[in-house]
Every structure is written in C-alpha cells, then in structure tokens.
Amino acid sequence: MQSKKENFSEWYSEVVKEAQLADLRYNVKGFLVHRPNSVLAMKKMYSLYEKALEDQGHKPVWFPAIIPEANFLKESEHVAGFTPQVMWVTHGGSEELEQKMALRPTSETAFYQMFNLWIQGLVDLPLKLYQSCQVWRHETKATRPFIRGREFHWIETHDVFATEKEAKAQVKQDMKTTEKVMHQQFGIPFIFFRRPQWDKFPGADDTFAADSLMPDGKAIQQPSTHMLGTHFTKAFDVKFQNEKGENVFPYSICYGPCIWRMLASVIALHGDDKGLVFPYKIAPVQIAIVPILKAGADNQKLIEYAKKLGKKLSKKGVRAQVDVSEQTAGSKYYYWELRGAALRVEIGQKELAEGKLTIARRDTGLKEQLTEKQFLAKLREYEKQIRENLVSKADAWFANQMHEAKTMDELKQSLGKGGFTRVPLCSDEMTGKQCADRIKAELSGDVRGVRADKKEKPSGEQCVACGKKAKEFAYAARQY
Amino acid sequence: MQSKKENFSEWYSEVVKEAQLADLRYNVKGFLVHRPNSVLAMKKMYSLYEKALEDQGHKPVWFPAIIPEANFLKESEHVAGFTPQVMWVTHGGSEELEQKMALRPTSETAFYQMFNLWIQGLVDLPLKLYQSCQVWRHETKATRPFIRGREFHWIETHDVFATEKEAKAQVKQDMKTTEKVMHQQFGIPFIFFRRPQWDKFPGADDTFAADSLMPDGKAIQQPSTHMLGTHFTKAFDVKFQNEKGENVFPYSICYGPCIWRMLASVIALHGDDKGLVFPYKIAPVQIAIVPILKAGADNQKLIEYAKKLGKKLSKKGVRAQVDVSEQTAGSKYYYWELRGAALRVEIGQKELAEGKLTIARRDTGLKEQLTEKQFLAKLREYEKQIRENLVSKADAWFANQMHEAKTMDELKQSLGKGGFTRVPLCSDEMTGKQCADRIKAELSGDVRGVRADKKEKPSGEQCVACGKKAKEFAYAARQY
C-alpha cells in the first residue's frame, strides 16, 4: 500500500481499488461501478442523514430523473450555469422526442413546476421536501471516484417558506444538520463559509457551503445550502395568499448533502496505510470474526463457535462477518484492516478454552481480552469510543490546517502548506472578484468565502491583493 | 370516493390522487412525481425486500444509469426485445457523444461486462448481486401510476453460478423470497408460472413469473426470475476455470421484484371505499393520534397528552403522527382512513379522565379501549393481526378467481368473470403459439403459462383451441 502521507493521491486510488469500493473500468467516461463495500456504507450514511432531515420535518419524494428543456430555460442564471453540464435525452426507441430532456443535474426546475401546483395558501407552507437520488453532470474537469464524477449520489432538499426570515432560519438549521451528521457521525470537520458573490449557485442570492480538507491540504466542498430568495418562485410563478389576502412569492432554499462525496472524506480522513477506517455505524462490516485455524487442532469447534457468535451479533442488528477462509490469520487481519471492519474478534484455541475473545480496534489498533458477555455488553461503548476518537483525531488535524497571511508572499507560502489561509480582502461582493482572480492566477489559490458561522471583521487591515481597505476576512485554499 | 367494486379503474385513480401518492401532472408523458405517502411506503418495502435478499447472500451494488449502445448489441435477442423501448442519451452539454447511451431499461448489459472482469475462477462464484434503482422504458402502451410507466423503481438481482443446477436452485429460492416478502409481508397473493416460450424475457432460456390479480380480475405480472443459461455469459465472454482446469461459461439468472408495481397491488388489493389500507409494517403513518377537541373544553391538556404519546411511539421506532389540526374529529378520521394509517388512536376528555385510549383498526374498522400501557404492549400483536388479516382476506378472494375451461366458449365465459382460467393447451413450446394467438385474437385472453410451483399434466384432454392432444395445463387471463 502507498503511504497516505507521502502520496495521498495514489494512496486514495489504491484504497478505492483494493478495498473494492468502486471499479473504474466501466466503459463510460466519468461513471463508476459501486461495489458492495461502498454501497453498504453509503446506504447507512443515507439513512442517518435522512433520519436527521425527517426529524426536522422534511418528507421524502421521488421526482423523475428527466426534466424538459423548457423548464431549464425559466431561470436565466440557472440555465446559464448548468446547461454546459447537462446530459440530454433526445430519443425514445427510434422516435425523436418532441423536446429534449435533461438528465437532472439538480432538480429545482422539476420541483418548482410542482410547487406552482401545490402551493396556494399559508396552509401549504412551509413545504420541506427531500429526495435521495443520483444526478448527472457532464463534467469537463478530471473525475475522481467519490470526489468528482459525471454521475453521483446525493440528497437534495427543496424548502419553501412564507417569509425570508424562516428561509434564513432553515439555512442555519441545515448548518446544524451538517454538524450533527457529517461532523459528529461521519467525523468530517468543516468550516461553514458564505461563498463570494462570484461563486454562488446559479440562481441563488447567497450560497453557504461546508468546506472540509483532504489530507493533501486541498479544500473539498461538502454540503452547500443556497438562499434562493424568490428567484425560483418567481420563475415558476409560485404564489401564495398571505394573511392580508395578497398573492405573493414565497422564499425558498435548497441544500445538497452529497453522500457520495462524504464517503470520499471518510475514506481520506480516517484511512491509514493499512486501508480504510470507518466509524462503527457506517462500516460495511462492523465486526470481523477471525477464528485462528491451525493444522492439527480441532478447528471445527472453533469455527462453530465463531459462527454462533456471528449469528448472535447479526440478531442484534450488527453487520458481522465470520472469516472461515483458508488464509492464514495474518492475511485475514490484513484483509479486514484494508476493508475497515471497525472491530476484529480473534479467537484461537487458547481463547476458546479460556472463554475469552481478543478484540482489536481498527481505529487505534489496541487490543483487549473480554469474555463474550463483556464483549456483547460493550458494543455501544465501542461505537461511541470509535466515533469520538475519529472525530477528535480529525478535528485536531483540521485545527492545525489554519493559517494567516497579510501579503501575497505570505499567502503563497501558506497555500503551499495546504489548509485554509485567512486573508484580509477588499470585498466578497463582485468588486472583490479581481483580487480573487489574481490570487487564482498567481498563486493557484481559491477564495472560498467568509465565515458563515461567526462574525469576523477586519479593523484596518489591507486587502491581501489590492492593498485597499479590507472589508472582510476571507479564506483561501487550493481546492478539488 | 368511487366504489372500488363498481368502478375499480376510477377508484384506483382517485385513491392515487386523493391520498397524495403520486401527482400525474409532471410535464413528461409517462413520468410520475412520487409524493411522501408513496415514497415512505416504498422505502419500507425496499428495506424489507433488500433484507430478504441480503439474508440469502446477495450484496448491493450501484451501477451507472447509462449503458453504451455497443453493450446492448452483444446479445441479439436482448437487443431486439429492448431496443424499441430504450430512451437514448446522445449529448453532453453541447457536444454529441461519440456513442449513444441507453438509459438502463434493465441492467444485464451493464453487469455482464463487469462480470467478465470479476469472474475468473471457482472462488469468484457464486456471485449474487442486487441493485435498487430506477429503470426507464419508452412504453407505447397506456401508462397507469405504479402499474406501467416510462420510469419505475425496482430491484434487479444478477446472479452467476458455476453450474446449471445451482442456477435453477436460485430460481426456486427467488420464488421463496417472493412468497416470504410479497405474499406474507405485503399480502399480495400470486401464482408462479413458467411463461410460454413465446413470452420469455429477451435473452432467457426460461422465464418464471409471479402473477397476481387486480380487483377487476385482470392479471398483473409481479416479480419474474429468468433462467438465462449461458446466453449472457457467452455474449460477454464471462468464463471461469472449473475444477478440471477448463475455461467454461457459468450459468446466470436475474430476478426483478418491482417495488413500484407491488405498491399498485397493495393499493388495489387492500384498499376499500374509504381509501388506502396498508399492512402495518409499510404504512407511511402507522398510527394516527387524534385528540378530539371540543369548544369550551381543556383542549390544551388533551393535545399535550397526545403529543407525549406520539413521542413515546416515535422513540419506539413507530411512525406516529398527532393530528392537532382544527378539523372536526370526523374529518380527521376520514383523512387518516383515506391515507391508510394502520391504527387510529382517539382520545377525548372522557378517555383522558379514565386513562383509556380508543384504538381503531383501519383494516377491520373494529374499535377497542385500552390503557396506554396495554396499547404500547400490544403493538407487535396489532402488527401481526393486521398482516394476517390482510393476507388471509386477499388469499380468500384470490382463491375464488380460479376457473376451468375445456372449450373456447367456456373460456370466453370465464375470462369475462376475471381471474385465471385453467385450460388444456397443446403445448407451451413455440408450436402452441398459434393457439395462444387465437385465444388473444378471439377472446382477448392471454396465456400466462403453466404452473411452476406444482406439476399438472393433462391426461387425455384436448387443447382448448386446436383440439389436439394437450401436453400442458395452461392458465389464461385478461391482463394489465
């Protein structure tokens, strides 16, 4: 296995392949075959995320995967932003369709035509829906498994509110959901930025995005939530009658937690030179049971015991697997470490005789001996300990990736180190775009935005690029 | 509400609309918007089915939604059967793709090119995979929600075995899964047929299909499982080295439980003139709690109690909803009956004072009074009772839909009654097609096949159509 530290990019590719997460040999460029090890993890990630969304009132829907071109043309910024990436369906059988159809790159233009029908009065609001689905984007940038592809798996929420205030409150709520699930459950640290005006979602007033970092120090965008104002409700003539009896446009937002990309962060942040490390809750195999078979010993009894233990765990809803293959114990350990089984239970003849199990944690490598009863009673604690350890390790690393720069030279240096660099910037409105462009052109750095989770205002600092009085502290990074 | 008995077709459309299962107003022909009430039920149905498949060794994968045309061309019967229904993706952004891509109508031609890479030796077999996904078919027949559409949601399994015997055993196993989940959990009775040779899956040696009936007496195909023999492994050059060291083609099958269509049967079979009736396990709202609010009474206390009860139920994993709307109790009952909440808890001032709840079952309409403690302890029993009642009611009805005919006149009469009619048929091989064609042309009846679940052989009967000696008992029905 490659060294994650020395060559992250190759390490990542190797883990994706060797741990059988995805196969890149499908014969359509930018499209992956997702193998059971990634699907089992993502299914679990989906269900945790969906639960969190449902808990705060979102309901699931399934919209068609195709959207008529006419829908796209209704919101001018949106069509300009997405059309270059749309994959088009043009024929059904041998007939040419009357109108070409987009494979959804995102579903605003599908949802809002139905909102037009569903929303009439205050009683219909707020309307909070989500959809777990695939989307398709004809990316021209290089694709990487789970990071960027022409087909990916995400959740999109589409929420409509009577007032701007409620819409803004939901943006905050979305940030909290990101914290609760992505950070606390999956162990992915992030900063919530408000994107500069030149880097918004096409058709949004404002875009807020959770940026995490990859181990190579480059920023990766995780969920974003977009304040759409009345752009889309106007474009699709969605109106409701307010308390004064006036027909007015409601406010809307959308939020896009991409489970597929979160898996990339899980792989990258927690993995090590032995392979994958999963939080217990999302591990495809949570517990690997390895009977240590030896020539000449009574292996049958050992195997029977291991299988019985496996069944007990399965009955408790644990994803357990008993490894009765004819490999050596060492190569079985290697195999389950590579695949990120959260716990490994080793049972040899000695353990069987003594009524003890050796439990090895994948995240720390620590081993301990427990009786079966103790082990079964400790599962919840393991789950908690593993989660807390992965979160705090990732957080500690993340906290060390924060830099400051006041000049272009300093910024150049710190961008080279990776992570986020805080710089004074003249503005994050369109007037600041020139400075961001210069940072991009000269230093390959991207201005990711200003913090959305706390107030930071310069007091007299000068813009890192133009030297004018800085209105904002912005964060720059190299990015995926 | 329409009468289900008198006008099933209109009743069905009305339930789909009024219970907000789907909205048919999306502006692409044959495509539906699935609203929360259907999605919540289908999610549950998916998870029960997936669990059953995983329990017998299937693992989940996610394949791309698009398949290059070249893949389709590899299996000649398959391409002939599916090409007229394929929706084609031809452009990415403004570029024309080098090769047109099919939106998957089914995924054999995607899976088998990977099987070619994944299967080398005996150690790789059996390979049992499933995918929960949407498929797209440019249907020319009239579409009906959840029955026939251009986009639908299903599961497809693709299994490869070293021997034909193992493949055949899996076909039997698939029948058992259909029985265990579709019949026992969802309450959909069926007969397992082997389809006549002229009505096979394109590219299969044999097709086995579970046919159920709709309340109007027309047959509806539920899951089918196809014995593909070596058609697809040969077409995609999938080989493995057997114990003798020879490179040989393995045998394969596929199975397609369509959750979307099973929902159609659930709606149709269990529903009544008040609306939907769901088995408890798959009901979007399992328990509706209705506090009976009265002007002048201390409603606040009642509402608080109802909410507390709702929370207790949610904590137990029950999908409970407290109806605190300002409607009358009667219209709340009507509302939750329409939507098929499995149980309704009514609480008035009297109940609150006495510490009792009135529990109404949706499936039987029966009411009983229980203390909260008794009610909470009885949830599992309710689940079981409701399931058993729906299964046995559907079974009893289904058993009455079986007829016999020996002549075309008798067949004409019994087809008019609806249900299945057993007829002697000269053959279900291609030589019998003429007779089936005659039954179709003259009586609008379809020969669905011979029983796959038991042996039935004529002893001297003559073919219902041609009068020659009958080799089989076949079943005819009008069909969806």
Side-chain angles (χ1 to χ4, degrees):
Chain A
M1 173 93 32
Q2 296 281 338
S3 156
K4 175 175 158 184
K5 201 166 177 183
E6 281 162 29
N7 193 339
F8 168 69
S9 178
E10 302 226 342
W11 173 88
Y12 184 83
S13 298
E14 198 177 346
V15 168
V16 167
K17 185 181 170 193
E18 296 301 326
Q20 300 197 341
L21 295 169
D23 197 315
L24 279 62
R25 292 173 290 176
Y26 192 75
N27 60 343
V28 185
K29 206 184 149 207
F31 283 72
L32 285 189
V33 175
H34 301 88
R35 304 190 74 173
N37 288 330
S38 67
V39 177
L40 287 164
M42 286 192 280
K43 281 179 73 170
K44 208 62 211 164
M45 293 167 79
Y46 262 112
S47 86
L48 289 166
Y49 233 104
E50 290 173 354
K51 169 85 170 58
L53 291 171
E54 288 180 20
D55 280 350
Q56 21 131 341
H58 286 94
K59 298 209 157 161
V61 288
W62 292 343
F63 266 68
I66 68 175
I67 305 175
E69 185 183 26
N71 293 35
F72 264 83
L73 302 176
K74 291 204 172 181
E75 214 292 330
S76 56
E77 290 178 23
H78 192 73
V79 68
F82 275 106
T83 302
Q85 297 195 340
V86 168
M87 301 190 73
W88 295 103
V89 180
T90 57
H91 290 74
S94 52
E95 284 173 44
E96 186 166 355
L97 302 176
E98 279 173 35
Q99 179 183 185
K100 63 182 182 175
M101 303 282 168
L103 276 185
R104 63 174 165 239
T106 177
S107 302
E108 282 74 12
T109 57
F111 275 68
Y112 281 74
Q113 74 167 1
M114 300 313 292
F115 288 168
N116 170 288
L117 301 169
W118 295 339
I119 297 172
Q120 314 288 339
L122 265 171
V123 71
D124 304 314
L125 297 174
L127 181 61
K128 293 167 69 171
L129 300 176
Y130 80 86
Q131 162 163 280
S132 293
C133 65
Q134 290 146 280
V135 289
W136 296 271
R137 294 180 188 175
H138 196 68
E139 283 285 352
T140 47
K141 292 186 196 168
T143 59
R144 293 296 307 272
F146 307 110
I147 297 173
R148 177 174 286 114
R150 289 185 170 176
E151 175 181 63
F152 58 86
H153 294 253
W154 78 346
I155 301 175
E156 48 183 320
T157 78
H158 298 284
D159 299 348
V160 188
F161 301 91
T163 64
E164 188 173 19
K165 196 179 154 198
E166 287 170 274
K168 284 184 170 168
Q170 184 63 43
V171 167
K172 290 238 164 84
Q173 183 60 59
D174 292 343
M175 289 190 201
K176 279 187 197 156
T177 303
T178 311
E179 168 62 24
K180 192 178 156 191
V181 187
M182 188 175 83
H183 185 209
Q184 293 301 331
Q185 297 287 341
F186 307 159
I188 305 171
F190 66 91
I191 299 178
F192 234 111
F193 291 119
R194 189 183 73 221
R195 289 271 185 262
Q197 281 297 305
W198 56 87
D199 191 21
K200 294 183 304 186
F201 176 79
D205 276 348
D206 260 319
T207 282
F208 301 86
D211 278 359
S212 189
L213 291 168
M214 290 298 248
D216 57 4
K218 285 202 236 167
I220 182 165
Q221 172 168 314
Q222 289 290 357
S224 51
T225 169
H226 309 290
M227 179 66 196
L228 302 177
T230 54
H231 288 240
F232 282 88
T233 53
K234 277 182 184 156
F236 286 85
D237 197 29
V238 179
K239 279 182 189 162
F240 72 102
Q241 202 173 47
N242 68 12
E243 279 156 341
K244 295 177 203 154
E246 302 157 341
N247 282 313
V248 296
F249 295 110
Y251 290 79
S252 69
I253 70 166
C254 57
Y255 172 54
C258 181
I259 297 300
W260 197 71
R261 199 170 231 201
M262 289 185 199
L263 179 61
S265 285
V266 166
I267 298 165
L269 290 174
H270 306 318
D272 61 25
D273 291 354
K274 292 177 175 175
L276 295 170
V277 178
F278 280 109
Y280 182 88
K281 264 199 187 168
I282 65 176
V285 171
Q286 296 176 305
I287 301 180
I289 303 171
V290 180
I292 303 167
L293 310 179
K294 289 226 166 101
D298 185 1
N299 289 330
Q300 208 41 49
K301 225 168 148 183
L302 207 56
I303 289 176
E304 268 166 34
Y305 173 75
K307 285 189 175 169
K308 231 162 76 183
L309 179 61
K311 273 195 190 144
K312 271 186 206 167
L313 289 166
S314 298
K315 268 201 181 157
K316 281 172 166 277
V318 176
R319 293 183 294 282
Q321 200 158 317
V322 184
D323 188 342
V324 292
S325 65
E326 284 172 8
Q327 306 295 316
T328 62
S331 52
K332 289 181 189 179
Y333 298 170
Y334 172 86
Y335 179 88
W336 291 110
E337 281 168 352
L338 172 60
R339 284 162 186 248
L343 294 172
R344 183 179 69 235
V345 178
E346 306 167 5
I347 326 170
Q349 295 292 348
K350 191 163 161 272
E351 279 92 348
L352 188 66
E354 289 173 0
K356 295 227 165 157
L357 305 169
T358 300
I359 318 296
R361 266 174 67 170
R362 175 65 182 93
D363 63 325
T364 57
L366 295 176
K367 289 189 182 191
E368 66 180 335
Q369 284 215 321
L370 296 177
T371 64
E372 184 189 297
K373 200 176 161 195
Q374 287 168 331
F375 171 58
L376 294 176
K378 203 183 165 179
L379 291 177
R380 288 228 168 154
E381 200 182 323
Y382 276 127
E383 175 185 323
K384 183 164 177 277
Q385 284 179 2
I386 293 168
R387 187 175 65 74
E388 287 176 352
N389 174 49
L390 291 177
V391 171
S392 69
K393 261 171 68 180
D395 284 358
W397 170 80
F398 194 75
N400 265 327
Q401 308 299 314
M402 300 293 147
H403 315 293
E404 295 263 354
K406 298 224 160 128
T407 66
M408 288 292 272
D409 271 350
E410 284 174 20
L411 180 55
K412 185 181 174 182
Q413 283 224 322
S414 75
L415 285 173
K417 285 190 252 173
F420 293 109
T421 303
R422 192 173 84 147
V423 293
L425 193 76
C426 51
S427 175
D428 68 341
E429 301 286 325
M430 288 309 287
T431 56
K433 185 169 188 298
Q434 278 190 340
C435 292
D437 287 346
R438 206 184 130 202
I439 292 169
K440 179 75 177 174
E442 293 178 16
L443 309 179
S444 307
D446 287 273
V447 172
R448 309 285 295 186
V450 304
R451 288 191 81 122
D453 54 347
K454 63 175 180 184
K455 284 226 155 69
E456 290 182 329
K457 284 286 175 188
S459 53
E461 281 88 345
Q462 292 172 327
C463 174
V464 67
C466 69
K468 285 188 200 143
K469 187 169 177 243
K471 277 197 213 142
E472 305 289 349
F473 277 122
Y475 288 73
R478 299 218 164 113
Q479 73 186 22
Y480 267 87
Chain B
M1 175 90 36
Q2 296 282 338
S3 156
K4 175 175 157 185
K5 200 165 175 184
E6 281 163 30
N7 194 338
F8 169 69
S9 178
E10 301 225 342
W11 172 89
Y12 184 83
S13 298
E14 196 177 348
V15 168
V16 167
K17 184 181 172 195
E18 297 302 324
Q20 298 197 342
L21 296 170
D23 197 314
L24 279 61
R25 291 172 291 176
Y26 193 74
N27 59 344
V28 184
K29 204 183 149 208
F31 283 72
L32 285 188
V33 175
H34 300 89
R35 306 190 75 172
N37 288 332
S38 66
V39 177
L40 287 164
M42 286 190 281
K43 281 180 72 170
K44 208 62 209 165
M45 292 166 78
Y46 262 113
S47 87
L48 289 166
Y49 232 104
E50 290 173 354
K51 169 87 170 58
L53 291 172
E54 288 180 19
D55 280 350
Q56 23 130 339
H58 286 93
K59 298 207 158 166
V61 289
W62 292 342
F63 266 68
I66 67 175
I67 304 176
E69 185 184 25
N71 293 35
F72 263 84
L73 302 177
K74 290 204 174 182
E75 214 292 330
S76 56
E77 290 178 21
H78 193 72
V79 67
F82 276 106
T83 302
Q85 297 195 339
V86 168
M87 302 192 72
W88 295 102
V89 181
T90 57
H91 289 73
S94 52
E95 281 173 48
E96 186 167 353
L97 303 177
E98 279 172 35
Q99 180 183 182
K100 63 183 182 174
M101 303 281 168
L103 276 184
R104 63 173 166 240
T106 176
S107 301
E108 283 73 13
T109 58
F111 275 67
Y112 281 75
Q113 73 167 0
M114 300 312 291
F115 288 169
N116 172 289
L117 301 169
W118 294 341
I119 296 172
Q120 313 288 337
L122 266 170
V123 71
D124 304 315
L125 298 174
L127 182 60
K128 295 167 69 171
L129 301 176
Y130 80 86
Q131 162 165 280
S132 294
C133 66
Q134 291 146 279
V135 289
W136 298 271
R137 296 181 186 173
H138 195 67
E139 284 285 352
T140 47
K141 292 186 195 168
T143 59
R144 293 296 307 271
F146 307 110
I147 297 173
R148 176 173 287 115
R150 290 187 170 174
E151 176 182 60
F152 57 87
H153 293 252
W154 79 345
I155 302 176
E156 48 183 322
T157 78
H158 298 283
D159 299 348
V160 188
F161 300 91
T163 63
E164 188 173 16
K165 195 179 154 197
E166 287 170 274
K168 284 186 171 168
Q170 184 63 44
V171 167
K172 290 240 165 82
Q173 183 60 59
D174 292 343
M175 288 188 201
K176 280 188 196 154
T177 304
T178 310
E179 168 61 25
K180 191 179 157 190
V181 187
M182 188 175 85
H183 184 209
Q184 293 302 329
Q185 297 289 339
F186 307 159
I188 305 171
F190 65 92
I191 298 179
F192 232 112
F193 291 118
R194 188 184 73 221
R195 288 272 185 261
Q197 282 297 305
W198 57 85
D199 191 23
K200 294 182 305 185
F201 177 78
D205 277 347
D206 260 317
T207 282
F208 300 86
D211 278 359
S212 188
L213 291 168
M214 291 297 248
D216 57 4
K218 284 203 235 168
I220 182 167
Q221 172 169 314
Q222 289 291 357
S224 50
T225 169
H226 309 291
M227 179 66 196
L228 302 177
T230 55
H231 288 239
F232 282 88
T233 55
K234 278 183 183 156
F236 285 85
D237 197 28
V238 179
K239 280 183 190 160
F240 73 104
Q241 203 173 44
N242 67 13
E243 280 157 340
K244 296 178 203 152
E246 302 156 341
N247 281 313
V248 295
F249 295 111
Y251 290 80
S252 69
I253 69 165
C254 59
Y255 172 55
C258 182
I259 298 300
W260 197 72
R261 198 171 231 202
M262 288 185 201
L263 179 61
S265 284
V266 166
I267 298 165
L269 290 175
H270 305 318
D272 60 24
D273 291 354
K274 292 176 175 178
L276 294 170
V277 178
F278 280 110
Y280 182 88
K281 264 200 185 166
I282 65 176
V285 171
Q286 296 177 303
I287 302 180
I289 303 170
V290 180
I292 303 165
L293 310 178
K294 292 230 163 95
D298 184 0
N299 289 330
Q300 208 42 49
K301 226 168 148 182
L302 207 54
I303 289 175
E304 268 166 35
Y305 173 75
K307 285 188 175 170
K308 232 164 73 184
L309 179 61
K311 272 194 191 146
K312 271 186 207 168
L313 288 166
S314 298
K315 268 202 182 157
K316 282 174 167 274
V318 176
R319 295 183 293 281
Q321 201 159 316
V322 184
D323 189 342
V324 293
S325 65
E326 284 171 9
Q327 306 296 316
T328 61
S331 52
K332 288 181 190 181
Y333 297 169
Y334 173 85
Y335 180 88
W336 291 110
E337 281 168 350
L338 173 60
R339 283 162 187 250
L343 295 172
R344 183 177 71 233
V345 177
E346 307 167 4
I347 325 169
Q349 295 294 349
K350 189 163 162 272
E351 279 91 351
L352 188 65
E354 290 174 1
K356 294 230 166 156
L357 305 170
T358 298
I359 318 296
R361 266 173 67 169
R362 175 65 181 92
D363 62 325
T364 55
L366 295 176
K367 289 189 181 192
E368 65 180 335
Q369 285 215 322
L370 296 177
T371 65
E372 183 188 298
K373 202 176 157 194
Q374 287 168 330
F375 172 58
L376 294 176
K378 203 184 165 177
L379 291 178
R380 288 230 170 154
E381 198 182 323
Y382 276 127
E383 177 185 323
K384 185 165 175 273
Q385 283 179 1
I386 293 168
R387 186 175 65 73
E388 288 176 352
N389 174 49
L390 292 178
V391 171
S392 69
K393 260 170 68 179
D395 284 358
W397 171 80
F398 194 74
N400 266 326
Q401 308 298 314
M402 300 297 147
H403 316 292
E404 296 263 354
K406 298 223 162 131
T407 65
M408 288 293 272
D409 270 351
E410 285 173 21
L411 180 54
K412 185 180 175 185
Q413 283 222 325
S414 75
L415 284 172
K417 286 189 250 173
F420 292 109
T421 304
R422 190 173 86 148
V423 293
L425 194 75
C426 51
S427 175
D428 67 341
E429 300 288 325
M430 289 308 287
T431 55
K433 186 169 186 300
Q434 279 191 339
C435 292
D437 287 348
R438 206 185 131 203
I439 293 168
K440 179 75 176 173
E442 293 178 16
L443 310 178
S444 305
D446 286 272
V447 172
R448 309 286 293 184
V450 303
R451 287 191 85 122
D453 55 347
K454 64 175 181 185
K455 284 226 157 69
E456 290 183 329
K457 285 287 176 187
S459 51
E461 281 89 346
Q462 293 171 324
C463 174
V464 67
C466 69
K468 284 188 202 144
K469 188 171 177 240
K471 277 196 215 141
E472 306 288 348
F473 277 120
Y475 288 74
R478 301 222 161 109
Q479 73 185 23
Y480 267 86

